[in-house]
Amino acid sequence: MEPQNISEVSEFLLMEFSEAPELQPLVFGLFLSMYLITVFGNLLIILATISDSHLHSPMYFFLSNLSFVDICFTSTTVPKMLWNIQTQNKLITFEGCIIQMYFYILFASLDDFLLTVMAYDRFVAICHPLHYMVIMNPRLCGLLVLISWIVGVVYSLLQKLMVLRLSFCADFKIPHFFCELNQVLQLACSDTFLNDMVLYSAATLLGGGPFAGILYSYAKIVSCIRGISSAEGKYKAFSTCASHLSVVFLFYCSVLGVHLNPATPHSSSSGAAASVMYTVVTPMLNPFIYSLRNKDIKGALKRFHEILGRKGQLCWGR
C-alpha cells in the first residue's frame, strides 16, 4: 500500500479499553471519578501551599508545581477519552493528536524533572541542614523549575517536529486511549529510524539522567541518615523523604512497566491499561500520599477548611 502524505492525514482512531457497550458507563464513571479526584486533590495542595505561610518553603514550592503539572498531565488525556465515550466517537483529528502528544510528553517530562529536583531538595535538607535556606534560595528554586520547563518544552517540540516529517499508511487505529508517541510511530509507513534514535537517546538522557540523579541523592541521604546517632533522629530524617519516595516508586515503576514491554499487538491493550497507572492513578494518589504522611500539609488543609467555613458563614449571614 502506498504511503499517504502527512498533509492528507485527517484523523486517527483511538481504541478504548473495552468494546462492550454495557461496560462503557462503568469505564466512563470510573475515569470521571479519578479525574475529578485528581483535579480537586492537587488543587487543594496548591491552594493550601499558597494560603499558609508555614508552607512557604522550597519543598512545598516544588510540591505545588508538581501538583499543577499533575493536573495538566491528566487533563491532556482523560477529558478527550471521556468525550469519546460520551459521544460514542473514537476519532481524534490529526492536529488534535499531535497537540495531545506534545502536551503529554511535556507534562510527563516535567513530572520526571520535578521529582528529581525534589530529591535534590531532600538531599540538601538532610545532608546540609544548616545551609538549607542559603543553598535552596528562591532564585535557585525558580531557576530549577524554569530549566525544567525549558527542557520539557524543547524536548516535546522536537518530538512533535520529528512526527510531522513522517507519512502514514491507511490504518490509523491507535491501540491506546490517547496519542502515545510509540503507538503513533508504529503507524508510520516511512522510515522511523531517526525518530527511534531521537526517542531512545532522549529516553537515556532525559529519563536515565534524572533517575540517576534521584538514586545519587538518596544514596547520599542514606549515608547521612546512617551517621545520625539517635533512632528518633534517623526516623525524623527519613520521614521527610517517605512521601517523595512513594511518589517516585509509583511513577517510575509504572513508566518502566509500560515502556519495557515489547510494542506488539498482543501487548498493546495491556500497555494501555498499564499506562493508566502513571497518567491517571499516580497523579490522583500524589495528594493523598503527601497529605496523609505530612503533618504540615494536614495542618494547612485544616486551616484552609476553617477559613472557607468562616467565609461561608459570613456569606450566609448576609
Side-chain angles (χ1 to χ4, degrees), residues 28-314:
F28 180 87
L30 178 63
F31 274 84
L32 178 61
S33 300
M34 290 193 295
Y35 178 66
L36 292 177
I37 292 172
T38 300
V39 173
F40 182 71
N42 283 287
L43 190 60
L44 272 181
I45 295 292
I46 295 172
L47 293 175
T49 303
I50 294 174
S51 62
D52 197 313
S53 59
H54 296 87
L55 302 184
H56 292 175
S57 66
M59 181 175 72
Y60 297 111
F61 170 72
F62 295 133
L63 177 59
S64 61
N65 276 274
L66 181 67
S67 295
F68 173 75
V69 169
D70 280 341
I71 292 174
C72 297
F73 188 27
T74 308
S75 299
T76 302
T77 57
V78 176
K80 176 58 179 174
M81 177 191 177
L82 296 175
W83 175 258
N84 286 357
I85 295 175
Q86 186 66 22
T87 60
Q88 297 296 305
N89 183 0
K90 299 177 182 179
L91 295 175
I92 182 171
T93 63
F94 173 75
E95 292 80 7
C97 185
I98 294 298
I99 292 172
Q100 186 184 65
M101 185 176 63
Y102 171 83
F103 284 107
Y104 161 77
I105 295 172
L106 169 62
F107 293 120
S109 302
L110 283 170
D111 253 347
D112 192 17
F113 299 151
L114 287 174
L115 287 174
T116 307
V117 169
M118 293 172 77
Y120 174 71
D121 172 78
R122 293 298 82 207
F123 157 68
V124 176
I126 293 175
C127 298
H128 305 282
L130 298 179
H131 302 94
Y132 175 68
M133 294 308 298
V134 176
I135 297 174
M136 301 302 295
N137 57 75
R139 182 178 179 181
L140 177 63
C141 293
L143 184 61
L144 290 173
V145 172
L146 179 61
I147 291 174
S148 299
W149 274 93
I150 292 174
V151 176
V153 167
V154 171
Y155 171 58
S156 52
L157 181 61
L158 173 63
Q159 292 291 3
K160 173 186 172 182
L161 295 175
M162 292 296 293
V163 172
L164 289 175
R165 58 179 285 274
L166 299 175
S167 56
F168 291 83
C169 298
D171 185 10
F172 298 143
K173 292 183 181 179
I174 299 177
H176 229 301
F177 67 96
F178 66 95
C179 290
E180 202 270 334
L181 178 59
N182 284 327
Q183 299 294 337
V184 173
L185 291 179
Q186 289 180 54
L187 301 180
C189 286
S190 54
D191 183 22
T192 61
F193 175 77
L194 186 58
N195 294 73
D196 293 335
M197 288 296 294
V198 171
L199 178 62
Y200 294 130
S201 299
T204 303
L205 292 174
L206 303 182
F211 185 63
I214 292 174
L215 291 179
Y216 177 79
S217 295
Y218 275 102
K220 289 292 187 179
I221 287 172
V222 170
S223 177
C224 290
I225 291 177
R226 289 179 62 185
I228 299 175
S229 56
S230 66
E232 183 181 354
K234 290 182 178 179
Y235 175 79
K236 185 177 180 181
F238 180 77
S239 64
T240 63
C241 306
S243 298
H244 179 257
L245 268 176
S246 302
V247 174
V248 168
F249 179 80
L250 274 174
F251 181 80
Y252 277 100
C253 285
S254 56
V255 169
L256 291 175
V258 172
H259 294 289
L260 290 183
N261 271 335
T264 63
H266 300 288
S267 66
S268 296
S269 58
S270 61
S275 67
V276 174
M277 280 299 298
Y278 72 90
T279 57
V280 183
V281 176
T282 300
M284 179 185 70
L285 292 179
N286 286 356
F288 293 99
I289 293 173
Y290 275 100
S291 60
L292 293 177
R293 300 189 61 89
N294 191 301
K295 294 181 180 180
D296 293 334
I297 290 289
K298 286 192 287 187
L301 290 174
K302 183 178 180 180
R303 287 187 290 271
F304 183 68
H305 180 265
E306 292 172 351
I307 292 173
L308 290 180
R310 288 196 295 268
K311 289 185 177 179
Q313 291 176 355
L314 291 174

